[in-house]
């Protein structure tokens, strides 16, 4: 990989000589997402319980279909489609990603498409080829055929179909969400690329290693153009990115954020920011009803791969290996974001979602909530950023142990006498008092170069990242300007759309 240009310098988008073109193409082939140094040959799935479907309908993309369903899967259960990275297989992804654990725990079917070297020399999904990654064509059409087969086979809920993928699979995931928002209710892009970022293999490296410098509206237009005339609803999108990823640069996560928040029409100012295990920062962007529409998980120190956290705890999953990195269980948090646990995003219980959720008070370390009681509720479960934090037998709850000067998103669900969790409420945001142990609450508008010089941000690989939140601010130069807000001591978030101290 060539060194990054100095701040503010220009770089030609394509090599000028035939030799340089050849070199660039070889580089793309060698580094198209998850295959830097340990490419393995895709092999037939052999993991316990994973079976191949020999015929599932139209297959213009020449993909293989594998599936898994836990014993006793009820009718109207969700379906999750999981796309492997380059050089991997359906079996590899099934064994390491952790999705089987939550299919068993929460009851949903898994579909695992598999590509091969016949489609791409490194067994990558072709996220950069319009003949394969657009609506009604190639691999994208094959995946949707698999979805139709699974929904019919299992009697699944066609309104609760989700797709997730790693690297090249992540790039294809973003394309599928853009191509088929009428099929997928949500998606999760792991170390991947924005929808329709590249339209040729030659252009792929420009997406992987840099920014296309498009506005959020221009990124959103790529989604809207993928299915012209579609008016919604749009899928809810989770974005997972290692801050030290040098195969698919972190700017791709920012561009994914820009793309999908623009599609939702909700802007790029976070509704809440939260620290999670594994040096992970979760930034949430709520829709107009206060429900998370886009979530971005940035993992400090993590390179290129899927975030896993081996262990027996509910929040732990997966196995480590090449491009399966021990940090945090991304499958767990993604499943909860989609509501697959039947408690945090729609639920399957009989009780309706509580209404009237509001913040009744905050201190530097607590947030108090109340809501309208639900008839038939024996108790209530309270979630902070999608994670269960407590229960209450009344229509009120106080969360404690919080950080001063920090925003937290809450939802609540009613639980009946049999322990069945109902639908979750809309979210509210509570901001604790104080300055977070020294945070000034002040806003600072300056160029990226000046923000770094002032100690509010840092640069890596030619890009600028806000200190604390690690939000990608774009190129490190004097031409890009952002507003940063200090929400805690040494913790800064991008506040371009409005910043009140």
């Amino acid at each position: 990989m060539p060194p990054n240009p100095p701040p503010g310098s220009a770089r030609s988008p394509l090599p000028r000589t035939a030799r340089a073109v050849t070199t660039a193409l070889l580089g793309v082939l060698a580094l198209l997402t998850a295959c830097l140094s340990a490419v393995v040959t895709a092999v037939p799935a052999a993991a316990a319980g994973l079976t191949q479907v020999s015929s599932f309908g139209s297959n213009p993309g020449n993909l293989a279909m594998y599936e898994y369903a836990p014993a006793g899967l009820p009718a109207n259960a969700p379906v999750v489609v999981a796309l492997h990275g380059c050089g991997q297989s359906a079996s590899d992804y099934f064994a390491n990603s952790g999705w089987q654990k939550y299919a068993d725990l929460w009851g949903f079917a898994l579909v695992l498409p598999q590509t091969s070297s016949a489609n791409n020399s490194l067994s990558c999904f072709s996220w950069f080829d319009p003949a394969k990654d657009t609506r009604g064509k190639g691999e994208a059409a094959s995946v949707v055929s698999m979805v139709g087969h699974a929904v019919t086979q299992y009697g699944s809920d066609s309104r609760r179909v989700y797709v997730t993928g790693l690297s090249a699979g992540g790039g294809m995931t973003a394309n599928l969400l853009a191509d088929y928002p009428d099929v997928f209710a949500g998606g999760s892009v792991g170390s991947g690329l924005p929808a329709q970022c590249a339209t040729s293999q030659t252009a792929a490296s420009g997406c992987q290693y840099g920014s296309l410098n498009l506005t959020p509206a221009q990124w959103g237009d790529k989604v809207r153009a993928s299915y012209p005339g579609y008016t919604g609803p749009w899928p809810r999108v989770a974005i997972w990115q290692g801050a030290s990823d040098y195969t698919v640069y972190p700017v791709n996560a920012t561009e994914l954020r820009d793309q999908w928040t623009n599609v939702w029409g909700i802007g790029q100012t976070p509704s809440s920011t939260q620290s999670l295990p594994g040096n992970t920062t979760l930034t949430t962007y709520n829709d107009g009803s206060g429900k998370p529409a886009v979530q971005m998980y940035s993992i400090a120190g993590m390179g290129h791969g899927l975030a896993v956290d081996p262990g027996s705890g509910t929040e732990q999953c997966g196995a480590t290996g090449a491009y399966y990195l021990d940090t945090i269980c991304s499958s767990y948090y993604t499943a909860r974001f989609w509501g697959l646990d039947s408690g945090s995003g729609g639920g399957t219980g009989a009780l309706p979602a509580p209404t009237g959720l509001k913040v009744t008070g905050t201190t530097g370390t607590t947030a108090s909530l109340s809501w309208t009681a639900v008839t038939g509720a024996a108790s209530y479960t309270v979630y902070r950023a999608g994670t269960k934090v407590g229960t209450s037998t009344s229509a009120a709850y106080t969360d404690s142990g919080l950080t001063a000067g920090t925003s937290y998103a809450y939802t609540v669900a009613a639980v009946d006498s049999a322990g069945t969790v109902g639908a979750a409420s809309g979210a509210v945001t509570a901001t604790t008092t104080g300055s977070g142990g020294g945070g000034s609450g002040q806003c600072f508008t300056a160029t990226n170069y000046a923000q770094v010089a002032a100690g509010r941000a840092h640069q890596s690989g030619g890009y600028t990242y806000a200190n604390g939140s690690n939000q990608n601010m774009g190129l490190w130069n004097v031409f890009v300007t952002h507003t940063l807000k200090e929400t805690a001591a040494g913790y800064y978030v991008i506040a371009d759309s409005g910043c009140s101290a």
Side-chain angles (χ1 to χ4, degrees), residues 1-5 11:
M1 181 172 63
N4 290 285
R11 176 170 59 181

Side-chain angles (χ1 to χ4, degrees), residues 403-405 433-442 444 485-492:
T403 301
T433 59
S435 59
S440 65
Q442 289 182 287
F444 305 87
K485 180 177 181 178
E486 187 180 25
T487 60
Y491 194 101
Y492 296 87

Side-chain angles (χ1 to χ4, degrees), residues 325-343:
L325 308 179
D326 189 356
T327 50
I328 182 174
C329 175
S330 57
S331 299
Y332 169 80
Y333 286 94
T334 295
R336 289 194 60 87
F337 171 53
W338 292 338
L340 299 184
D341 63 325
S342 301

Side-chain angles (χ1 to χ4, degrees), residues 146-216:
M146 296 179 196
V147 169
H149 183 279
V151 168
T152 300
Q153 177 181 356
Y154 297 116
S156 302
D157 186 348
S158 62
R159 299 167 300 175
R160 301 183 72 197
V161 178
Y162 306 88
V163 59
T164 182
L166 166 64
S167 196
M172 183 60 78
T173 291
N175 290 338
L176 285 166
L177 295 174
D179 297 340
Y180 295 98
D182 52 333
V183 173
F184 298 103
S188 179
V189 182
S191 302
L193 301 303
Q196 303 305 332
C197 185
T199 56
S200 71
Q201 186 164 289
T202 303
S205 60
C207 295
Q208 288 179 234
Y209 307 134
S211 172
L212 298 191
N213 297 315
L214 301 182
T215 66

Side-chain angles (χ1 to χ4, degrees), residues 293-323:
V294 178
Q295 289 191 330
M296 185 165 68
Y297 299 78
S298 177
I299 307 173
M302 191 180 93
H304 188 67
L306 184 73
V308 297
D309 182 19
S312 59
T314 301
E315 299 180 15
Q316 294 179 290
C317 75
T320 57
Y323 305 106

Side-chain angles (χ1 to χ4, degrees), residues 97-120:
S97 66
W99 277 106
Q100 180 189 1
K101 175 175 181 174
Y102 300 111
D104 291 339
L105 182 63
W106 292 326
F108 54 84
L110 289 173
V111 171
L112 293 99
Q114 180 174 289
T115 187
S116 69
S117 58
N119 288 356
N120 176 277

Side-chain angles (χ1 to χ4, degrees), residues 272-287:
S272 65
T273 301
Q274 183 184 0
S275 296
L276 296 178
N279 296 316
T280 305
T281 298
L282 166 61
T283 309
T284 299
Y285 303 83
N286 293 340
D287 64 16

Side-chain angles (χ1 to χ4, degrees), residues 411-484:
T411 56
V412 62
V415 184
D416 64 22
S417 58
T420 302
V421 181
S425 68
V428 297
T429 299
T431 303
T432 51
T433 59
S435 59
S440 65
Q442 289 182 287
C443 297
F444 305 87
T445 301
T447 68
N448 282 355
Y449 183 85
Q451 297 282 23
V452 171
R456 296 185 288 269
H458 59 281
Q459 73 90 15
S460 176
Y463 288 87
T464 309
Y465 301 88
N467 287 346
S469 69
N470 280 322
Q471 289 177 303
N472 192 308
M473 299 163 60
L475 291 172
W476 179 48
N477 59 30
V478 297
F479 304 110
V480 180
T481 296
H482 283 292
T483 298
L484 295 180

